[in-house]
Amino acid sequence: MFDFAVSTVTIAGIYALMALGLNLQAGYAGLLNFGHIAFAGLGAYAAGIGFGLGWAPLPSLALGVGLAMLLGAFMAGLGRKLASDYWGIATLSIAEILRTIATNEGWLTGGANGISAIPALFDGLARPWNAVAFLALVLAVLAAAAWLCARLGNGRFGRALRLMREEPQLATCLGYNLRTLKTRAIMASAAVTALGGFLYAHYMSFAGPEYMLASETFLLWTMVMIGGLGNTLGVLVGVATVQAAHVIVPFAKDWVGFDSDVAGALRLGLIGAILLACLLWRSEGLVPEKLRKIP
């Protein structure tokens, strides 16, 4: 039971990092990035490739974050001539292209089998202290990322992003460069998400193309929408809610007596029902975004 609790909280913390990254784009700037999981995939593959080259974890992390930020800058450049909905489709296409490349370029990514045997960051410790140490690292990184995202969201940069989201013409009149704002938001989001993917690869000891499935992006969108767009606390609440739904269903399976296939369907149905309920009766999320009012 202790190992299960540690594993559940660790995975929730990693997904919270990715969701915080998405919130920097979707919540503050209103950008519809449907290929967001590609940033996490780059972070995960950087961990695997760096391990294969004999690198230490920090250079591998720097590689993943750097590649993710370059991809974010490229995605931002695509948005110059595309409307928001078409840009969202373009980001989804980019993520699928990267997943296809990862599936087929076995010399670099291990192909469909991925890269396995990635060492845990604390494998020198005895069980269960290695898992506890990794959980402590994830929670410390998450706390730092949440504090930074809250500072950015409540500061001048966050206010500029919200102005761009609500009144882009007014933001332009006030001297803001919308292209620069979008680029900075996406690159910051990419860095946080790549960090989450890097930690996930080390936790699972694996990096594979399934890390970049579109369903993972929409799972992150579900977490952010349930918790509340544009609110750091709301994102954390949304992640906790979805993770709780994941955990409750297996226990209910044992109580009620249905098989694993039904349990998987019920898990998706429960998360979908929570999202639908929020959209119908609390569209702003469980923790709504608080906007400052000028007296």
Side-chain angles (χ1 to χ4, degrees):
M1 188 64 182
F2 176 77
D3 291 342
F4 176 76
V6 170
S7 175
T8 299
V9 178
T10 300
I11 293 175
I14 293 173
Y15 270 91
L17 276 173
M18 301 179 193
L20 285 174
L22 178 60
N23 188 54
L24 285 174
Q25 298 177 71
Y28 296 136
L31 300 175
L32 301 178
N33 190 340
F34 297 143
H36 180 73
I37 199 62
F39 302 140
L42 289 176
Y45 271 112
I49 293 172
F51 163 67
L53 295 175
W55 291 3
L58 286 180
S60 301
L61 175 60
L63 173 64
V65 170
L67 290 175
M69 293 179 72
L70 286 175
L71 177 62
F74 174 72
M75 286 183 174
L78 287 177
R80 288 183 296 171
K81 298 182 180 180
L82 294 175
S84 60
D85 49 352
Y86 288 105
W87 183 76
I89 296 173
T91 59
L92 176 61
S93 301
I94 291 172
E96 285 299 301
I97 290 171
L98 289 176
R99 188 175 69 85
T100 302
I101 293 173
T103 303
N104 291 279
E105 299 299 323
W107 63 275
L108 179 65
T109 64
N113 294 325
I115 303 173
S116 58
I118 300 174
L121 295 180
F122 300 99
D123 55 357
L125 299 176
R127 295 184 62 184
W129 303 113
N130 56 344
V132 173
F134 193 89
L135 172 60
L137 174 64
V138 169
L139 293 180
V141 173
L142 176 60
W147 177 82
L148 180 60
C149 289
R151 290 279 293 179
L152 287 175
N154 295 327
R156 181 178 179 182
F157 179 58
R159 292 194 295 271
L161 290 178
R162 287 186 175 95
L163 180 61
M164 177 185 68
R165 180 190 69 190
E166 301 295 336
E167 297 290 344
Q169 294 181 347
L170 177 58
T172 301
C173 293
L174 291 176
Y176 289 109
N177 187 320
L178 301 190
R179 179 184 174 187
T180 301
L181 285 175
K182 291 178 182 179
T183 302
R184 290 170 61 190
I186 297 173
M187 291 180 70
S189 169
V192 175
T193 307
L195 176 57
F198 177 84
L199 291 173
Y200 194 63
H202 277 285
Y203 181 70
M204 302 299 294
S205 297
F206 175 77
E210 55 266 36
Y211 284 7
M212 291 190 283
L213 289 172
S215 58
E216 292 294 307
T217 292
F218 295 114
L219 175 61
L220 295 174
W221 269 98
T222 300
M223 293 173 173
V224 174
M225 293 176 66
I226 289 175
L229 287 164
N231 190 320
T232 300
L233 178 59
V235 172
L236 299 179
V237 170
V239 172
T241 302
V242 173
Q243 186 66 2
H246 273 270
V247 171
I248 288 173
V249 171
F251 285 104
K253 175 179 74 70
D254 296 333
W255 295 334
V256 179
F258 47 78
D259 57 32
S260 298
D261 293 335
V262 175
L266 285 177
R267 177 180 289 169
L268 291 176
L270 177 59
I271 295 173
I274 295 172
L275 176 60
L276 183 61
C278 286
L279 292 176
L280 290 175
W281 293 294
R282 200 172 180 85
S283 59
E284 68 276 14
L286 297 177
V287 184
E289 178 183 16
K290 294 183 179 180
L291 298 178
R292 296 182 180 179
K293 296 182 179 180
I294 301 176

